[in-house]
Structure formats: C-alpha cells, structure tokens
Amino acid sequence: MSEYSTALSEAADRITVALDALLPRADGPEKRLISAMRYAALGPGKRMRPFLLIECGRLVGADERALLRAACAVECVHAYSLVHDDLPSMDNDDLRRGRPTVHKAYDEATAILAGDALQTQAFAILADPETHPDAALRCELVSRLAQAAGARGMAGGQMIDMAIEAGEEREIGVITRCQRMKTGALIAFCAEAGAVLARADKETRTALEGFAHDLGLCYQIVDDLLDVEGDETLTGKRTRKDAGQGKATFVTILGVDGARDRARHLAAQAKEHLVNYGEDAKLLIQTVDYVLDRQS
Amino acid sequence: MSEYSTALSEAADRITVALDALLPRADGPEKRLISAMRYAALGPGKRMRPFLLIECGRLVGADERALLRAACAVECVHAYSLVHDDLPSMDNDDLRRGRPTVHKAYDEATAILAGDALQTQAFAILADPETHPDAALRCELVSRLAQAAGARGMAGGQMIDMAIEAGEEREIGVITRCQRMKTGALIAFCAEAGAVLARADKETRTALEGFAHDLGLCYQIVDDLLDVEGDETLTGKRTRKDAGQGKATFVTILGVDGARDRARHLAAQAKEHLVNYGEDAKLLIQTVDYVLDRQS
C-alpha cells in the first residue's frame, strides 16, 4: 500500500471505532433497529467524507476531538442516505460495499427506520456538549448539516435524480444541480465543518468550500464513469444500471472522454484552492488524485 | 364550539401559518419533494403536540416566539413519523386525517424522501439563531428532540410496535415501553421544551415531564380504544386494524373497560402534576379531558 492508502485506511479504522462507541448498543426490544443501524454505519467503507472533514479541519487547526465527532455525524448521514437510496422504491439495489443492502439483510421497514434513526443520531452527536464546549459552534454545525442534508441538499438531490432517471430531466444544468445537491452538499459540509470548528476567517472558508465543491463534482463524474467502465467485483455494487435505465448522466451527455476531461479539470481546480497551504495540504491533494483515479 | 375547542383551533391555525413560513417553497426541479413535505405537514390536523409545547412553555414563562418555532419543529417530526409509518412496508395505510397518505397522493419514493427532509427541517428550525439568542438552549432542544425521535425514542418505539404487530411481543411491560417510546417520548419533549426555553428549575421540569408522561400514555390508550370503538368517519383513518391483525394492545390485554379505567386514572394523575399552577394551567387541564374524551 502507498503511504496515502495507509493514512486513509488508518483514518477509516479510527472513525469506525469512534462511530461504534457513539452508536447505541443493540439491546432491548428495539435491538433489531439498532443492529440494522450498526450494520449500515459500521460495515466496510472508505469513510471518504469523515476523512475529508478531519483533514480539512486539521489543515486550519481545529480541535481533534471535535473533528472526530463531527466526522462520525457526517458518516451517519451518509449511511442513512445509502440505506434509503437502496430501497426497492428508490434505486432498488441488493448489493452495497459487497454486502446485502439493509433491506435485504433485514427488511424494508427496518431499513426505513434505521435510516431515520441514523439521521437523528447525526444531530444528537453534533449537539452534544462533548463535541465542543462552545454551543454556538455546535449549533452552526447542526444548521449547516441540516442544510446539506435537507430539501435543498441531499434529499432534494435524490428527488431530482429520480426525475432524471425517469427521463423527465435531461439538461446538463439540472444534472449539475442534482449532483451539487445530492453528493456535493454533504462533501462541502465536510470542508465547512473543519472551518467552523477552527473559527476560520472568510478567506480560509472560501478556499476550503471551493476545494470541496470541485472535489464533490469530480467525485460524482468519476462515479458516473465507474458505472460505465467499472468492474462490479471492485465497486462492490451493481454497475451499468444508468445505461440500462436510459438515464442522463455526465457520461451520456459529455461522452466518456468528455466526462473524464471534466473530472481532470475539476481535480486540478480543487488542488488550486489549497495552493497556499503547501506541504500541509499534502493528504488533501492526494485525496483529489485518489478520487480521480479510484476504481471503486 | 366550546371555549376550549376555539382555543385549540385558533392555536392550530397559528401553528399552520408559522409552519407554512418555515417550510421551503415548492420550486426548482426538487419541487415534488417540497410539495410532498408541505402536503404532509400543512394538511388538516389537531396540532396537539405543538399546542402542548406552547401551553407548557407559557405556563412557565418561556418566550412566545421561541415556543412557536419549537412547536413547528415538533410538528415536522410528528409529520415525518406519520408519513413513514403509513408506508406499505410499515402500517400500509391509505388514509390519514381523511386524505390519501403521502405515498398514495405522490409515490413511495417521494414519501420516504419527504419524511427524511421533514426530520432534517425540524433540526434546522431548532438550531437557527431565530429560535432563541442563546445557542446553549438551542443545542439542548436539538439534543432532547434527537433523543425523543431516535433509536431509544420514537423510531425504536415503531420498531417494537411492529414486533408486537407480528405477535412476537405480547407482554404488557413491552407494550408500555413501546408506547412510552413511540408516542410518549415526543409528547414528553413538548413539555421539556417549554421548561428548557423558560430555564425552569428542577421541580418545574419534573412536574411538566410527569404531566407529559401521563398524558402521553393516556393518549395512546385512547388511541387503542378508538381503534376498537371509533367511527372511521370521525377518526379519518382506518379503524379495527389492530384486532384484524391479532395485535396485542392495551385493549386486548386490559379489556375495553380496563383500558378505559387505566386512561381515566392516567388523566387524573396528569392533572395532579399541575395542581400548584391553579387557574394558569386551565388550558392544559382541559387538554387532558380533551385527550380522554376525544372521538378522533
């Protein structure tokens, strides 16, 4: 493994351990729900968003403990969104990260409730005084996470995505808006959270948010490329489903080469936002390359 | 209408107007989602929980504006829970408050997302500085609402409820725990929120929480009684579904008379918690009678 892969995988382990401690124990007559929440949140995963949150926060000097807790909150929201997106009435996926999805391993009702309770858990973690002694910062994190996850963020993006899937929306403007909301908003939150916790100045926030914005869109275009070119045994999920559904994506609109060019351009742009940080931003710069070149 | 019904219905209107202003406008390519959120949250309803929150808070001197916003947050969580509980894989209800449920009026995927985004909206409202200038109070509300809604609260209660429905749980202890979590926790939050916003002392909090606890359980027992004895045209939802499913409820365990006795006992006990407030608690006392005698 490269030095970077080692850093990423060590961070993923640290996040999983912290998340394990923050989720309730699977006991009492409600244990089936909690077991499904833990299955969804603690299973294999790159933990890309929490990693990003922690590294952005470190870059600008935020408290380590606060970053780790905020990182766990963002992973709870990400996990909740995957559980609900996989449901039969949504993307209807049986496989996620190489394992049965929650509604397959448990059942549909349990999956809906587990997603619901994971979202709740995220806000519980952020609002807890253990996250940071300053309540104003905690409230700002809650507000920003709610913006990133809500009707004008992740949930709204998933709604648009379904309209695109149904062939009702085919404009590149709508597809870009969809991705900015569906995946970009939560990735941008990761950068914002680090800046909030470090009480960073306007200029720093703008740089981190620009970085996250470009990285988020790059991530999504690579996702679309992987759906076309990816190997199911590597991605751990069903591929070629977009084409099967006749869905408009960055790849169907820009072509494979055009989409790859766009992703490269965004990756370069993302790195430029961090140019003032020099060597300190090394891990984040490597994250951009990792996102661009990933096979899964 | 009685003086009390007038007070309740005026309060319901005031809450609906405030909620309308706090929910996003149904525009943009995500408008289907927002329209479903608004359908779920702004439709007919008694607004019992927000009414309770506002009246408990008034009793102990909390700020009116803060109470109205917290009341809207609690109604968002309540509306989200109804949307998800009505889904085909959960209670599979087609009718709610006399109208098609969200997955019938829209579709299942939209209903799941609308519930998700309503939950998010609740936390967004509470964390906003507009709710109260003191961030510590806002954070405490977020924490308490998350506790009331999460795996050890409403969501966990719904999980247990499904186990009871499947005949896997039949003990009165489990049924009581289920109801304390499923409906009691959110009702208790309403009382707590008023106390938090008024920075009330321990004794006041205990009285209000005891009141809410007893009222919540009373409410649920009356719900079970209405399922057996209620008139579908009055309740606005399908009745006799518990018996049809062979589900253990307070009524199947205690019998109709036993359940009614238990509800009366809880109602009397709820009132006793407010005895020190005299005439000031008149509306809350009337709420207890209303809950006990309601036909819908």
Side-chain angles (χ1 to χ4, degrees), chain A residues 30 84 116 119-120 177, chain B residues 30 84 116 119-120 152 177:
Chain A
E30 64 276 19
H84 283 190
D116 290 345
Q119 178 176 190
T120 318
R177 179 190 175 100
Chain B
E30 63 275 19
H84 282 191
D116 291 344
Q119 178 177 189
T120 316
R152 303 285 192 212
R177 179 190 177 100

Side-chain angles (χ1 to χ4, degrees), chain A:
Chain A
M1 277 207 290
S2 70
E3 196 189 331
Y4 175 74
S5 305
T6 310
L8 183 57
S9 117
E10 278 174 8
D13 289 347
R14 210 162 68 91
I15 291 152
T16 307
V17 168
L19 203 47
D20 177 67
L22 286 172
L23 289 171
R25 301 293 100 192
D27 52 27
E30 64 276 19
K31 64 173 173 290
R32 183 179 177 82
L33 169 67
I34 298 170
S35 161
M37 291 167 70
R38 301 180 68 87
Y39 179 87
L42 301 176
K46 295 185 285 290
R47 313 283 185 249
M48 178 56 72
R49 288 161 188 77
F51 179 76
L52 198 59
L53 190 153
I54 290 173
E55 291 306 323
C56 284
R58 277 183 175 164
L59 186 64
V60 295
D63 175 71
E64 284 283 332
R65 179 195 177 80
L67 288 173
L68 187 58
R69 289 182 59 106
C72 288
V74 95
E75 189 65 7
C76 284
V77 168
H78 178 56
Y80 125 63
S81 76
L82 298 183
V83 175
H84 283 190
D85 287 1
D86 286 338
L87 285 166
S89 61
M90 302 263 232
D91 295 347
N92 194 23
D93 273 313
D94 296 350
L95 213 53
R96 164 74 64 189
R97 294 171 178 167
R99 297 187 310 165
T101 46
V102 177
H103 65 275
K104 282 286 162 184
Y106 293 81
D107 57 69
E108 221 176 305
T110 305
I112 294 168
L113 287 173
D116 290 345
L118 279 169
Q119 178 176 190
T120 318
Q121 190 71 32
F123 292 110
I125 292 170
L126 289 183
D128 192 307
E130 291 283 315
T131 294
H132 197 283
D134 184 344
L137 292 193
R138 301 199 304 274
C139 266
E140 191 172 347
L141 290 182
V142 169
S143 285
R144 284 174 179 252
L145 183 60
Q147 266 176 39
R152 302 280 191 216
M154 195 179 70
Q158 173 67 5
M159 186 84 251
I160 303 174
D161 198 43
M162 288 189 311
I164 295 171
E165 218 152 82
E168 290 159 21
E169 301 277 6
R170 312 194 144 269
E171 301 273 306
I172 186 131
V174 174
I175 291 166
T176 307
R177 179 190 175 100
C178 170
Q179 299 310 343
R180 199 179 60 224
M181 289 165 68
K182 189 182 170 185
T183 56
L186 200 59
I187 290 177
F189 170 79
C190 295
E192 286 168 17
V196 167
L197 285 170
R199 295 191 179 87
D201 59 25
K202 187 88 179 61
E203 198 187 341
T204 305
R205 288 190 188 213
T206 308
L208 283 178
E209 285 167 24
F211 166 76
H213 173 269
D214 293 337
L215 182 67
L217 199 53
C218 174
Y219 188 95
Q220 188 54 48
I221 295 176
V222 174
D223 236 29
D224 288 352
L225 281 162
L226 283 172
D227 186 75
V228 175
E229 304 182 312
D231 180 338
E232 203 155 306
T233 60
L234 288 179
T235 58
K237 59 185 175 185
R238 198 157 47 85
T239 53
R240 286 165 196 78
K241 56 184 182 176
D242 294 343
Q245 293 168 336
K247 180 182 176 185
T249 70
F250 287 107
V251 177
T252 64
I253 292 178
L254 304 173
V256 168
D257 292 342
R260 188 147 282 282
D261 274 356
R262 182 74 63 104
R264 277 201 206 98
H265 176 78
L266 283 161
Q269 202 171 288
K271 290 180 188 174
E272 278 164 25
H273 290 291
L274 302 184
V275 77
N276 287 338
Y277 293 99
E279 187 65 8
D280 289 347
K282 193 177 139 201
L283 269 175
L284 288 173
I285 298 291
Q286 288 173 326
T287 300
V288 177
D289 291 327
Y290 175 85
V291 162
L292 187 65
D293 299 328
R294 73 204 166 98
Q295 300 302 316
S296 70

Side-chain angles (χ1 to χ4, degrees), chain B residues 52-66:
Chain B
L52 198 60
L53 190 153
I54 290 172
E55 290 306 325
C56 284
R58 278 182 175 164
L59 187 64
V60 294
D63 175 71
E64 284 283 331
R65 178 193 177 79

Side-chain angles (χ1 to χ4, degrees), chain B residues 39 43 46 61 66 68 77 80 97 102 122 125 128-129 139-140 148 154 160 168 199 206 228 234 257 289 296:
Chain B
Y39 178 88
K46 294 183 289 288
L68 187 58
V77 167
Y80 125 64
R97 295 169 176 170
V102 178
I125 292 169
D128 193 306
C139 267
E140 191 171 346
M154 196 180 69
I160 304 174
E168 289 159 21
R199 294 193 180 88
T206 307
V228 175
L234 289 178
D257 292 343
D289 291 327
S296 69

Side-chain angles (χ1 to χ4, degrees), chain B:
Chain B
M1 277 206 292
S2 71
E3 194 189 332
Y4 175 74
S5 304
T6 310
L8 182 58
S9 115
E10 279 174 8
D13 290 346
R14 209 162 66 89
I15 291 152
T16 307
V17 169
L19 203 47
D20 177 66
L22 286 171
L23 289 172
R25 302 293 98 193
D27 53 28
E30 63 275 19
K31 64 173 172 292
R32 183 176 175 82
L33 170 68
I34 297 170
S35 161
M37 291 168 70
R38 300 179 68 86
Y39 178 88
L42 300 176
K46 294 183 289 288
R47 314 281 186 249
M48 178 54 73
R49 288 161 189 77
F51 178 77
L52 198 60
L53 190 153
I54 290 172
E55 290 306 325
C56 284
R58 278 182 175 164
L59 187 64
V60 294
D63 175 71
E64 284 283 331
R65 178 193 177 79
L67 287 173
L68 187 58
R69 290 183 57 104
C72 288
V74 95
E75 189 66 7
C76 284
V77 167
H78 178 56
Y80 125 64
S81 77
L82 298 182
V83 175
H84 282 191
D85 287 2
D86 286 338
L87 285 166
S89 60
M90 302 263 233
D91 295 348
N92 194 22
D93 273 313
D94 297 350
L95 213 55
R96 162 76 62 188
R97 295 169 176 170
R99 297 188 309 165
T101 46
V102 178
H103 65 275
K104 282 284 161 187
Y106 293 81
D107 57 68
E108 222 177 305
T110 304
I112 294 169
L113 286 173
D116 291 344
L118 279 169
Q119 178 177 189
T120 316
Q121 189 71 32
F123 292 110
I125 292 169
L126 290 183
D128 193 306
E130 290 283 315
T131 294
H132 197 285
D134 184 341
L137 292 192
R138 301 200 304 274
C139 267
E140 191 171 346
L141 291 183
V142 169
S143 285
R144 284 174 180 252
L145 183 60
Q147 266 175 40
R152 303 285 192 212
M154 196 180 69
Q158 174 68 3
M159 185 85 254
I160 304 174
D161 199 43
M162 287 190 309
I164 295 171
E165 219 153 79
E168 289 159 21
E169 300 277 3
R170 311 193 144 272
E171 301 273 306
I172 185 128
V174 174
I175 291 166
T176 308
R177 179 190 177 100
C178 169
Q179 300 309 347
R180 200 179 61 224
M181 288 165 68
K182 189 183 169 181
T183 55
L186 200 59
I187 291 176
F189 169 81
C190 295
E192 288 169 15
V196 167
L197 285 170
R199 294 193 180 88
D201 60 22
K202 187 88 180 62
E203 198 186 341
T204 305
R205 287 189 188 215
T206 307
L208 284 177
E209 284 167 25
F211 166 76
H213 175 268
D214 292 338
L215 182 67
L217 199 53
C218 175
Y219 187 96
Q220 188 55 49
I221 295 176
V222 174
D223 236 29
D224 289 350
L225 282 161
L226 283 171
D227 185 75
V228 175
E229 303 181 313
D231 181 337
E232 203 155 308
T233 60
L234 289 178
T235 58
K237 59 185 173 187
R238 198 157 48 87
T239 54
R240 288 167 195 77
K241 57 183 180 175
D242 294 344
Q245 293 168 336
K247 181 182 174 184
T249 71
F250 287 108
V251 177
T252 64
I253 292 178
L254 304 172
V256 167
D257 292 343
R260 189 147 281 283
D261 275 357
R262 182 73 64 100
R264 277 201 205 97
H265 176 77
L266 283 161
Q269 203 173 286
K271 291 178 188 175
E272 279 164 25
H273 290 290
L274 302 183
V275 78
N276 289 339
Y277 293 99
E279 188 65 11
D280 291 345
K282 192 177 143 199
L283 269 176
L284 287 173
I285 298 289
Q286 287 173 325
T287 300
V288 177
D289 291 327
Y290 175 86
V291 163
L292 187 64
D293 299 329
R294 73 204 167 97
Q295 300 301 314
S296 69

